[in-house]
Amino acid sequence: DGGITQSPKYLFRKEGQNVTLSCEQNLNHDAMYWYRQDPGQGLRLIYYSQIVNDFQKGDIAEGYSVSREKKESFPLTVTSAQKNPTAFYLCASRRQDIYGYTFGSGTRLTVV
Amino acid sequence: QKEVEQDPGPLSVPEGAIVSLNCTYSNSAFQYFMWYRQYSRKGPELLMYTYSSGNKEDGRFTAQVDKSSKYISLFIRDSQPSDSATYLCAMSAGNQFYFGTGTSLTVIP
C-alpha cells in the first residue's frame, strides 16, 4: 500500500542536540511538506519542497533544516537553534495536480 | 487576523445527532476547501474537498462552501462514536495551504 512513513514515532532530545526526523513516501508525489502542530495553534508550515534538490522556507523555518536528495525522502533536522522544539511534527505530500495532502502518522518530539 | 478561524470546541453530542462544524476565512482568493479528520496521536486524513461554492455529499458527510460569506461547513449525519476526533478545515490559493486550529468532537454512545 502506498503511503507516508514517518519515524520515529516518539523522539526525545537533550538540550543542545540536533535531531533528524525521517519522512519517506512511496506515492510518487512531487511535493512534500513539514508541519508543526501545537495545541491551539493548528498546523504551521516549516519547509516545503516541490521538486528534488529544491525547497522553500515556510512560516516558521528558523531552527530547522531540510534536504530533498530523492523524490521519496524529505528529512527534517531540528537544530539546537530551535528554542522550543517540543511539538508534534507532521510530514505530508501531494501530487501537483490534486488538491489535498496525504499525511504521515507524525513524530512527537520532546525536549528532556 | 488569522487567515482561517475555527472554533476549537470541544463539542460533545449524543450518538445519532447531526453535527455542524464551521470555519470562516478572510482571503477571497481561496478556491479549494478541505476537511480533515485527525484521531488522537495520528496524522490528519482527508475527508472531503470542494472547489469554489456549493455543496458536496459523501455518505454521512456534507461539505458546504459559501464564498460570499467566506464561510464553510461540514455536516455529519447520524453521528457515531467512531466520528470522535478533531476536525480541521483547510483552504488554498495556489500552492499555499492554510489550516484551521481544529474542532474536537466527542460522540457519546
Side-chain angles (χ1 to χ4, degrees):
Chain A
D1 285 337
I4 297 182
T5 302
Q6 286 188 246
S7 62
K9 193 173 178 68
Y10 299 96
L11 185 58
F12 298 90
R13 190 193 94 168
K14 293 182 181 178
E15 296 280 355
Q17 268 187 341
N18 293 354
V19 291
T20 298
L21 284 60
S22 171
C23 178
E24 303 277 334
Q25 55 101 356
N26 60 4
L27 299 164
N28 200 32
H29 286 177
D30 299 304
M32 297 187 73
Y33 305 79
W34 274 105
Y35 283 90
R36 170 178 171 147
Q37 188 174 36
D38 297 279
Q41 294 202 51
L43 297 175
R44 292 185 289 168
L45 182 63
I46 304 172
Y47 268 97
Y48 66 100
S49 169
Q50 309 268 32
I51 57 172
V52 174
N53 292 323
D54 188 44
F55 48 83
Q56 284 77 41
K57 292 181 180 180
D59 301 319
I60 56 164
E62 186 174 348
Y64 300 97
S65 66
V66 294
S67 63
R68 186 87 186 275
E69 297 175 1
K70 300 186 298 181
K71 188 175 185 178
E72 301 79 20
S73 179
F74 192 40
L76 173 74
T77 296
V78 184
T79 75
S80 56
Q82 171 49 240
K83 297 306 177 192
N84 185 23
T86 295
F88 189 51
Y89 290 86
L90 287 161
C91 180
S93 71
R94 76 177 182 96
R95 270 172 47 181
Q96 297 287 33
D97 58 341
I98 290 181
Y99 277 82
Y101 293 138
T102 299
F103 282 93
S105 54
T107 292
R108 185 165 299 278
L109 173 63
T110 304
V111 174
V112 296
Chain B
Q1 185 186 6
K2 285 185 180 179
E3 296 271 5
V4 180
E5 299 277 359
Q6 184 174 9
D7 186 338
L11 188 60
S12 185
V13 302
E15 184 175 352
I18 296 175
V19 176
S20 172
L21 304 167
N22 311 294
C23 289
T24 59
Y25 62 95
S26 56
N27 189 343
S28 57
F30 289 147
Q31 290 191 305
Y32 286 88
F33 304 90
M34 291 144 278
W35 285 96
Y36 288 84
R37 177 175 61 196
Q38 184 176 23
Y39 292 113
S40 181
R41 296 187 173 88
K42 300 288 186 185
E45 55 178 326
L46 182 65
L47 267 181
M48 301 183 72
Y49 79 90
T50 55
Y51 173 71
S52 196
S53 283
N55 291 2
K56 185 174 183 179
E57 191 173 315
D58 184 2
R60 297 184 294 111
F61 298 88
T62 300
Q64 203 170 72
V65 175
D66 182 351
K67 291 191 76 178
S68 62
S69 302
K70 296 190 178 70
Y71 188 88
I72 69 170
S73 301
L74 178 71
F75 298 97
I76 307 174
R77 290 184 299 280
D78 187 25
S79 55
Q80 303 294 310
S82 58
D83 295 328
S84 299
T86 296
Y87 290 81
L88 297 98
C89 63
M91 41 203 82
S92 71
N95 287 320
Q96 284 277 57
F97 285 71
Y98 298 87
F99 286 83
T101 54
T103 300
S104 175
L105 170 68
T106 300
V107 180
I108 302 167

